[in-house]
Amino acid sequence: MHDEPDDTELEEELRRVAALLDPVPSVLLQAAVEAFTWRTVDEDLAELVLDSLVDHEAALVRGSQDRRLLCFHTSDVCIEIAVTSTGTSRALVGQLIPPQPASVEIRHRTGLVTLESDTLGRFSASSLRAGPISLRCRPGPQAAGRAVVTDWVSI
Amino acid sequence: MRSQRADGEDVAVDPVEIGGLTRAAAGGDAAAWLGLVECFSGLVWSVTRRYRLAAADAADVFQTTWLRLAEHIGRIENPEYVGAWLATTARRESLRAARAATRILPTDDAAILDRNHIDDHSPELAVLDAEQAVLDSDRAARLWCAFHQLSRRCQELLSVLMASPPPNYLDVAAALDMPVGSIGPTRARCLQRLREKLMSQDVVWHSPGNE
């Protein structure tokens, strides 16, 4: 039988056991290291300001059980997307506000999907795999405006 | 306010050093980013584990948290406290994932099964794997089992405290959304309970192959 250890020793022992029995999976450590390569420098960051999943009022007014609404904005532009789920497949429709054409990159863990919005800033994509995504939009005619990236969010 | 643990030699999280790593990573230094991952991946993981998410969801939260940091790193107000920023982000994203999990029905999709595989190590197997290790595997198994018999509140606190390397109390407070001042007393109470569970021999553990 062990002597009764003091709190620090017991906590250290727990730490060793946790590191052995519930370590950070190595694929995730690798993903955390690689996250740095997605970093952008010159883009404006559009922060997530509304998610119908957690903002109850927004969900009541604008969301539905099947559709998740997300809204990101900078001081100049707002990007709204609605996400629908089928198993692990995700489809989204998006809209830039104020309405304006834009080229849009959907950044996700397996790479990039590049698309062009219509003249009113609407765009859509389907068959995306569930997981973290971020949008990079270059608004304006000929995508001449300042590029914007959204916060990463898991869909 | 405590910003650093005073209780051990294994304190790895020094705010000044962390501030330096954060600023360097914001400037594009990949080695500094690696330093941040080494310092805080254990903390972020412990937060996602606290919410008992499915393995695929926990993995998504973990990745989303680090991707968020990559985008925010040049904009963080207090680079010294990037650990608290990560812990808070991981907590919020875990809540989001927990909410999503109640809406989206599980499927038998092969991709999900495949992704669950990362969590597919039972304590039994891990303990057997570790027989070469310095750790006393029987004691480890009993401790792990006793830990899982604690109240949810105690498991939540201890699981964050026992992240590797040890987080400072400010980060723990951010991870659990609790006042810094209540961490110490709650920790002492929970460790006492754990000790009692270990002492009372009602922790049942069948070690395969040893009986």
Side-chain angles (χ1 to χ4, degrees):
Chain A
M1 198 64 216
H2 290 252
D3 290 335
E4 181 166 300
D6 74 8
D7 285 357
T8 303
E9 283 176 28
L10 186 55
E11 191 185 290
E12 280 307 315
E13 195 179 351
L14 267 178
R15 192 181 329 285
R16 288 194 299 275
V17 172
L20 178 72
L21 299 183
D22 188 20
V24 185
S26 56
V27 291
L28 291 186
L29 277 178
Q30 190 57 34
V33 172
E34 288 168 5
F36 194 56
T37 61
W38 288 100
R39 169 178 156 273
T40 59
V41 178
D42 294 326
E43 282 80 344
D44 280 343
L45 180 63
E47 298 199 45
L48 179 62
V49 290
L50 183 150
D51 178 356
S52 63
L53 204 53
V54 289
D55 300 318
H56 295 288
E57 284 178 27
L60 287 174
V61 176
R62 312 172 66 187
S64 73
Q65 273 301 99
D66 308 324
R67 223 163 55 115
R68 178 178 174 193
L69 290 171
L70 298 158
C71 180
F72 306 87
H73 76 59
T74 69
S75 51
D76 298 329
V77 67
C78 181
I79 300 163
E80 285 190 353
I81 61 174
V83 181
T84 48
S85 304
T86 313
T88 56
S89 177
R90 302 286 178 269
L92 64 83
V93 293
Q95 162 84 65
L96 267 75
I97 300 164
Q100 57 192 306
S103 74
V104 179
E105 277 175 7
I106 301 170
R107 313 189 296 163
H108 63 107
R109 68 177 134 216
T110 49
L112 291 177
V113 175
T114 306
L115 39 97
E116 297 293 328
S117 79
D118 67 12
T119 53
L120 295 174
R122 295 173 297 196
F123 57 91
S124 64
S126 57
S127 303
L128 298 166
R129 241 180 83 186
I133 66 158
S134 155
L135 305 184
R136 183 175 177 278
C137 301
R138 193 174 270 283
Q142 282 82 52
R146 187 175 165 84
V148 173
V149 290
T150 71
D151 267 334
W152 285 87
V153 62
S154 185
I155 62 169
Chain B
M1 188 180 284
R2 277 175 85 166
S3 63
Q4 191 170 354
R5 298 274 299 284
D7 59 10
E9 70 284 1
D10 199 16
V11 173
V13 181
D14 168 27
V16 176
E17 188 187 331
I18 294 304
L21 285 177
T22 306
R23 289 187 193 89
D29 182 342
W33 176 264
L34 191 60
L36 291 176
V37 171
E38 282 168 358
C39 283
F40 295 116
S41 56
L43 174 68
V44 171
W45 185 240
S46 77
V47 175
T48 66
R49 300 305 268 164
R50 177 192 163 209
Y51 289 88
R52 297 163 198 223
L53 302 169
D57 291 338
D60 283 351
V61 168
F62 183 90
Q63 288 190 49
T64 301
T65 301
W66 286 101
L67 287 161
R68 278 267 174 106
L69 179 64
E71 228 32 284
H72 277 263
I73 195 160
R75 302 174 170 91
I76 289 178
E77 275 181 44
N78 298 303
E80 291 78 11
Y81 300 121
V82 68
W85 190 96
L86 281 164
T88 302
T89 302
R91 175 165 53 77
R92 289 183 183 152
E93 292 308 304
S94 295
L95 285 170
R96 211 186 289 278
R99 190 71 57 83
T102 62
R103 289 200 338 173
I104 297 164
L105 293 173
T107 72
D108 58 356
D109 191 290
I112 284 194
L113 295 173
D114 185 45
R115 290 163 80 198
N116 275 336
H117 188 72
I118 57 169
D119 203 31
D120 193 16
H121 56 276
S122 65
E124 292 88 338
L125 286 176
V127 167
L128 288 176
D129 286 347
E131 281 194 328
Q132 308 291 325
V134 277
L135 203 65
D136 172 346
S137 63
D138 181 56
R139 162 86 180 171
R142 290 197 304 116
L143 187 59
W144 198 236
C145 197
F147 167 75
H148 283 99
Q149 292 181 342
L150 292 174
S151 69
R152 175 132 194 207
R153 181 176 163 79
C154 281
Q155 286 190 42
E156 286 176 359
L157 176 65
L158 293 181
S159 66
V160 173
L161 283 169
M162 69 200 196
S164 297
N168 69 43
Y169 277 16
L170 217 58
D171 298 346
V172 174
L176 299 172
D177 197 20
M178 70 191 278
V180 176
S182 70
I183 293 172
T186 312
R187 167 182 179 266
R189 219 164 31 243
C190 292
L191 288 172
Q192 183 53 35
R193 298 258 162 76
L194 178 63
R195 200 170 285 125
E196 288 161 11
K197 295 270 185 209
L198 273 172
M199 297 286 276
S200 73
Q201 292 291 315
D202 61 358
V203 178
V204 181
W205 172 255
H206 299 291
S207 179
N210 284 358
E211 304 292 328

